[in-house]
Amino acid sequence: MNRLKKITLSLITLIGANAIAQEFSSDVQIRPRYEYTNGFGTLLTPTTEHTSFIGNRTRINFNFNDAKLKIKLSLQNVHTWGDAATSTVTSKNGIAAFEAWAEYNLTEKWSAKLGRQPLSYDNQRVMGGLDWANQGRSFDAALIKYKGAKSQFDLGFALNADSEAKVAPATPYTTDVFKDMQYAWYHTNIKKLGVSLLALNVGKEYLKTPTEVGLNYFQTFGTYGKYAGAKLGVDYSLYGQTGKIGNNIVSAWEAALNVGYAFSPKFKATAGYEFLSGKDQGSSSTMVKSFSPIFGTNHGFNGFMDYFYVGNHANSVGLNDISLKLDFPIKKVNVSVAPHFFSAPNKIISGGVEQDAYLGTEIDLTAVYKVYKDITLTAGYSQMFATDSMVVLKGGTGLNDITNNWAYVMVNINPQIFTTKK
């Protein structure tokens, strides 16, 4: 009898200990954003006019974790105000699983993670979560992860298909930009310096012959580093691309350097330069020389008006971007002003005549105000001062003698609605 009591007490203690190690939480995000677009992404033309709209993200996250297992389910609806009637019973875009993954701790330092998940590394130049876009970006992927005291290592794999068809399709996979992907990312901290290495292998299908689907791979590899001192901050990136896309050989690269200094607790200035390789207009070479930040959060680079590498400027003349960012508060509002000076590192040709390399200047103004602990208000205004060379680059019909600008106001409401531990 005493032995039975001891066994029962031991089981109760064990169950209680396991229960205490479990945690479940949930949070909600509601993020409407008003935008006024008047030459956003490209120059206005004689037949285009400004417009405005409100885009909205509604997202709910469920998180579970215990000593060995983590699970996250993130459901979202993305829509534009007015894209469905006020009396509709369904949403135009429905509900999508932005995240649906599980991570199991193999040891104290090694884990495996499977499912739909964002892949975001370093400054997100090559791989990012694309949070600015209301839909974001997430991958169906499998990861092996290592996390030590000063270093991390991720090994990732992804394989895409349109369906569970049991025979190979007769056309290339085009639902996403890749058929399969493998990558390795390593990061280590050396005092105030963090250094990362990335190697990314991407497979893309193409029509090898009218009746045969081929698969070729191109690689992105390089390094990112960031030094964070008391006043001085420096970050850099250097990436190369090689391999083949379709029948074309790839040879491209990117380099960037940003140096920031906090002159006071309330004023910081950052000077930056980025180079992305390209190819002369009219070149007869089939080689892909234009660098592609394939999975990057590209809205955060080269100006907020998205004239470069946000669904555009692929296989083009490349880019030089010289920038200066000033950060300072005005009472309780954090303000940043960032001019960008754009030029083309390769030739722009119009009517057989080489154009000036200078493309124009963009000025971005951003203000952020914390309304409440779970509410942030962000507003921005940007204007592009384009040259004739920008007009040629953007197709020849754009207008650079009128105002090309963009403005937005975004409210981010993101409270945790409950959390339990047992």
Side-chain angles (χ1 to χ4, degrees):
M1 190 67 177
N2 288 335
R3 179 174 294 180
L4 180 61
K5 286 182 179 180
K6 289 180 179 179
I7 293 173
T8 302
L9 288 172
S10 297
L11 288 172
I12 292 173
T13 302
L14 181 61
I15 293 170
N18 286 337
I20 290 172
Q22 294 179 342
E23 182 176 353
F24 183 68
S25 64
S26 180
D27 62 274
V28 171
Q29 182 185 43
I30 299 174
R31 197 183 77 172
R33 181 170 66 228
Y34 166 82
E35 295 187 50
Y36 169 84
T37 62
N38 185 60
F40 180 84
T42 192
L43 299 169
L44 287 173
T45 72
T47 59
T48 57
E49 295 183 1
H50 69 267
T51 189
S52 59
F53 55 86
I54 299 174
N56 194 89
R57 173 201 290 170
T58 303
R59 183 181 290 174
I60 183 166
N61 301 312
F62 302 97
N63 304 281
F64 168 84
N65 68 78
D66 62 21
K68 300 284 285 184
L69 181 65
K70 294 180 181 178
I71 295 175
K72 183 171 184 178
L73 175 62
S74 178
L75 303 177
Q76 71 177 18
N77 169 262
V78 174
H79 74 281
T80 304
W81 285 19
D83 67 3
T86 54
S87 59
T88 186
V89 296
T90 60
S91 174
K92 182 176 180 180
N93 295 325
I95 302 295
F98 176 65
E99 294 184 68
W101 54 262
E103 183 175 1
Y104 179 72
N105 293 331
L106 303 169
T107 68
E108 289 185 358
K109 296 182 178 181
W110 289 91
S111 65
K113 188 176 180 182
L114 302 170
R116 188 80 174 180
Q117 56 191 290
L119 299 177
S120 183
Y121 294 99
D122 303 316
N123 66 343
Q124 303 188 50
R125 192 42 165 151
V126 176
M127 301 183 75
L130 201 63
D131 188 61
W132 170 260
N134 281 330
Q135 74 276 8
R137 179 194 287 123
S138 55
F139 297 75
D140 296 310
L143 275 66
I144 300 295
K145 300 167 65 72
Y146 168 85
K147 187 173 183 179
K150 294 184 177 181
S151 60
Q152 295 175 253
F153 175 72
D154 283 8
L155 194 62
F157 309 88
L159 175 64
N160 288 336
D162 284 316
S163 69
E164 297 183 19
K166 304 304 185 283
V167 296
T171 57
Y173 174 82
T174 58
T175 300
D176 210 330
V177 297
F178 69 98
K179 173 62 180 176
D180 66 302
M181 175 183 73
Q182 308 82 38
Y183 73 91
W185 174 78
Y186 174 77
H187 177 82
T188 189
N189 293 311
I190 306 169
K191 295 183 178 180
K192 295 180 180 180
L193 175 65
V195 178
S196 298
L197 301 173
L198 174 68
L200 171 66
N201 186 47
V202 175
K204 297 187 72 171
E205 290 188 334
Y206 67 105
L207 274 180
K208 192 173 182 179
T209 70
T211 58
E212 182 183 2
V213 175
L215 176 65
N216 274 332
Y217 291 85
F218 74 97
Q219 298 78 40
T220 302
F221 53 89
T223 179
Y224 171 80
K226 184 175 183 179
Y227 171 82
K231 293 186 175 182
L232 178 67
V234 180
D235 68 83
Y236 72 87
S237 62
L238 179 63
Y239 294 101
Q241 289 182 329
T242 187
K244 294 186 74 175
I245 297 177
N247 292 312
N248 302 320
I249 295 173
V250 179
S251 180
W253 63 289
E254 180 270 358
L257 176 66
N258 298 288
V259 180
Y261 189 80
F263 291 91
S264 74
K266 294 186 177 182
F267 181 75
K268 181 180 179 181
T270 303
Y273 171 71
E274 184 177 29
F275 168 85
L276 299 100
S277 67
K279 184 164 64 173
D280 292 345
Q281 285 189 339
S283 171
S284 60
S285 173
T286 60
M287 181 177 290
V288 179
K289 297 181 180 180
S290 302
F291 185 86
S292 173
I294 181 170
F295 302 126
T297 302
N298 298 325
H299 173 77
F301 299 84
N302 314 132
F304 291 154
M305 289 185 72
D306 291 354
Y307 271 56
F308 307 100
Y309 304 104
V310 183
N312 54 24
H313 204 62
N315 299 315
S316 190
V317 294
L319 187 67
N320 290 309
D321 178 6
I322 299 172
S323 62
L324 176 65
K325 184 182 180 185
L326 306 176
D327 295 290
F328 53 92
I330 299 177
K331 294 185 178 180
K332 294 183 179 182
V333 180
N334 293 320
V335 178
S336 69
V337 180
H340 293 260
F341 306 92
F342 301 120
S343 64
N346 292 89
K347 295 179 181 179
I348 300 173
I349 307 295
S350 177
V353 178
E354 182 178 347
Q355 305 297 299
D356 187 77
Y358 175 55
L359 297 172
T361 297
E362 178 182 327
I363 298 177
D364 298 327
L365 172 65
T366 306
V368 180
Y369 175 66
K370 192 80 170 179
V371 178
Y372 180 65
K373 65 182 181 70
D374 299 319
I375 304 175
T376 302
L377 175 67
T378 306
Y381 175 84
S382 299
Q383 186 159 332
M384 174 65 75
F385 301 89
T387 66
D388 291 340
S389 296
M390 181 76 84
V391 174
V392 173
L393 183 65
K394 290 295 181 178
T397 60
L399 301 173
N400 63 338
D401 57 350
I402 64 172
T403 301
N404 288 274
N405 59 2
W406 167 69
Y408 75 94
V409 178
M410 179 172 71
V411 181
N412 186 27
I413 305 167
N414 189 201
Q416 184 177 72
I417 53 178
F418 68 85
T419 180
T420 62
K421 293 181 180 181
K422 62 177 182 177

